[in-house]
Amino acid sequence: AKQKVGLLFGGCSGEHEVSITSARAIASALQQDENKTKYEVLPVYIDKNGTWQSSNLAQQVLESGEPLLLTEKRKTTVVKEDNNNLAVTGFSSLTPSEQNFSYSEIDVWFPILHGPNGEDGTVQGLLSLMNVPFVGSGVLGSALGMDKIAMKMAFTQAGLPQVKYVAVNRSQVYSSPCIFPKLCDDIEAKLDYPCFVKPANLGSSVGIAKVRSRGELEEALDNAASYDRRIVVEAGVTAREVECAVLGNDNPKVSVVGEITFESDFYDYETKYTEGAAQLHIPADLSPDVVTKIQEMATQAFIAVDAAGLSRVDFFYVEETGEVFINEINTLPGFTATSMYPQLWAATGVSFPQLVDNLIGFAVERYNENN
Ligand code: ADP
Ligand code: MG
Ligand code: MG
C-alpha cells in the first residue's frame, strides 16, 4: 500500500505564503514518477487563524496556491480518538461529510511550516504527542533553532565561532527612562556600530534593523520589542553570506556550499522575497579549505541544537581574514523549487523528488528508533 503523507502547510506566521509555495513543490515531487507508486499526499492546511483544514479546501489551496481565510480566530484543541491516538480538532466549521480523511490514516507527517507555531517546536510537540513519524527536527531541535539567543548558547557550547552579541529582554526595553539608557550604554560598551537588532524568534528578517547610532539603536530596540519578548543585538560584520544544507539524522550528510549576493544593505525581507533582488551562486566560489571548514561547522551546528532530518546552516565568511562565523541554523528552510536548500542538494546530486523521499525515510527511521 502507498504511504500516506500528511502534508501540513500554511500556518499562523508571516511566512504563510512561502509555506504554501513550499508545500506545492513537495506535493508535486511526491507525485512524480519515482515517488508516485510509493506515496499518497493528504494535504492539511492551517489557515492564518490557526484552523486545521483537511478537506477539499486544503486540496484547493494546494492546487491554486492561494491562501484562504476560512474561519474566525479560534483555539486549536487536542482530543483523544478511539484508537488512543491524539488528534487535533479545530475544523468544526466543516461538517463531517466534508472531511475526506481522518488524521489517523496518515502514516507520516511532513510539516512545512515556517516561523513561530510551525518551525519552533510547537507543532513538533503535537506530532510527538500523537506518536506519529514526522519530517524534521523534534521539539528541542526546533525550539533551539528558532530562538536566536538559545541557539547562540548551544553554538557557544559547541565551540562554534560567532559574532559578539548582547541578549535583551523586552522588560528592559520597556523599563523606566532611567534604566533604558543604561541598557543602551551597556550595548555600546560591548558592541561597535553598526550592529543588528533582532527579535529572537522570527525569520525572514522580519523586525531586524541595522543600526548606526544611539538614536537608531533605541528605535530598533523598541520595534523589536513589539515582535518578541526576547531580543538579540549583534556586532555587524562585513562578510560574504554562505549557506550549507544538512540532511540526515545522527550521521547527517552535507551539501556543497552556496552563496547569496544582493545590492541592498543587508539580506532583508524585501530582498528575500522580491524576484531578482538576490542571486544564489551554487557552488560558491570558495577555496576547498573554506568549504571543508563550513561543512564541518554545519554538521556541528546540526548536532549542537539536536536537529534532525533537514537544516540549512548560514554563515558569514570574512574573506580578508579567512574567518567564518556561524549566523544561524534554520530547521525548516524555504523549500520551494527555487529555494537554496533543495538547490544545494540538486548541485550535490540529490534531486528534489529524491530529497523529499529521503526526508520521509529519515522521519520513519527516527520514529522507529524512538519507539
Ligand atoms: P533571519 O532568521 O530572519 O534570516 P538573520 O539573523 O539571518 O535572521 O539575519 C538576516 C540578515 O541580516 C542576514 O542574512 C544578514 O544579511 C543580516 N545580518 C544579520 N546579522 C548580521 C550581522 N551580525 N552582521 C552582518 N549582517 C547581519
Ligand atoms: Mg532564520
Ligand atoms: Mg537568516
Side-chain angles (χ1 to χ4, degrees), residues 15 119 145-146 148 151-152 163-164 194-210 232-239 241 243 260 262 264-269 272 312 314-316 327-330:
E15 288 148 299
E119 192 174 349
M146 187 87 263
K148 292 186 193 302
M151 183 198 305
K152 283 177 188 297
V163 299
K164 278 196 253 172
C195 50
F196 283 78
V197 180
K198 311 177 182 181
N201 289 278
L202 284 177
S204 291
S205 302
V206 174
I208 297 183
K210 181 176 180 176
V232 59
V233 186
E234 281 179 31
V237 281
T238 306
E241 296 200 37
E243 307 190 339
I260 294 158
F262 41 83
S264 48
D265 195 20
F266 70 98
Y267 197 28
D268 57 9
Y269 184 89
K272 283 180 180 173
R312 198 194 69 227
D314 301 348
F315 300 90
F316 298 125
N327 174 30
E328 61 163 345
I329 187 166
N330 292 290

Side-chain angles (χ1 to χ4, degrees), residues 145-352:
M146 187 87 263
D147 185 284
K148 292 186 193 302
I149 299 170
M151 183 198 305
K152 283 177 188 297
M153 290 163 71
F155 288 165
T156 301
Q157 186 66 27
L160 289 161
Q162 305 177 73
V163 299
K164 278 196 253 172
Y165 71 95
V166 178
V168 175
N169 216 287
R170 174 190 280 159
S171 62
Q172 294 172 276
V173 177
Y174 292 163
S175 62
S176 68
C178 53
I179 297 176
F180 185 56
K182 171 91 173 53
L183 169 70
C184 295
D185 288 347
D186 287 350
I187 294 169
E188 286 183 334
K190 287 196 184 114
L191 311 173
D192 294 328
Y193 292 113
C195 50
F196 283 78
V197 180
K198 311 177 182 181
N201 289 278
L202 284 177
S204 291
S205 302
V206 174
I208 297 183
K210 181 176 180 176
V211 300
R212 295 170 189 78
S213 65
R214 174 73 167 230
E216 286 178 6
L217 173 65
E218 291 171 356
E219 206 180 305
L221 284 168
D222 205 63
N223 181 52
S226 73
Y227 288 98
D228 200 341
R229 288 176 47 252
R230 287 155 70 78
I231 299 161
V232 59
V233 186
E234 281 179 31
V237 281
T238 306
R240 291 166 65 183
E241 296 200 37
V242 293
E243 307 190 339
C244 182
V246 186
L247 173 66
N249 290 334
D250 289 337
N251 297 297
K253 291 183 290 183
V254 287
S255 72
V256 298
V257 175
E259 178 168 10
I260 294 158
T261 58
F262 41 83
E263 294 297 314
S264 48
D265 195 20
F266 70 98
Y267 197 28
D268 57 9
Y269 184 89
E270 217 193 310
T271 311
K272 283 180 180 173
Y273 295 114
T274 306
E275 184 99 21
Q279 287 77 46
L280 309 189
H281 307 268
I282 304 173
D285 184 11
L286 298 166
S287 74
D289 288 0
V290 174
V291 169
T292 304
K293 186 164 160 184
I294 288 167
Q295 289 171 327
E296 282 172 6
M297 286 171 69
T299 307
Q300 287 164 5
F302 190 87
I303 294 166
V305 302
D306 192 35
L310 73 164
S311 282
R312 198 194 69 227
V313 189
D314 301 348
F315 300 90
F316 298 125
Y317 171 52
V318 187
E319 200 155 23
E320 297 70 34
T321 61
E323 286 166 298
V324 178
F325 297 106
I326 188 163
N327 174 30
E328 61 163 345
I329 187 166
N330 292 290
T331 55
L332 275 178
F335 216 116
T336 74
T338 57
S339 295
M340 183 63 113
Y341 185 83
Q343 295 281 335
L344 284 171
W345 282 114
T348 312
V350 184
S351 71
F352 198 108

Side-chain angles (χ1 to χ4, degrees), residues 78-81 83-88 103 126 129-131:
V78 181
V79 295
K80 213 164 185 194
E81 285 186 331
N83 58 8
N84 246 358
N85 273 345
L86 291 170
V88 182
Y103 295 139
L126 182 62
L129 274 174
M130 287 161 68
N131 195 28

Side-chain angles (χ1 to χ4, degrees), residues 101-117:
F101 62 88
S102 140
Y103 295 139
S104 59
E105 281 176 54
I106 292 172
D107 297 308
V108 54
W109 287 77
F110 198 137
I112 188 68
L113 301 157
H114 309 295
N117 291 321

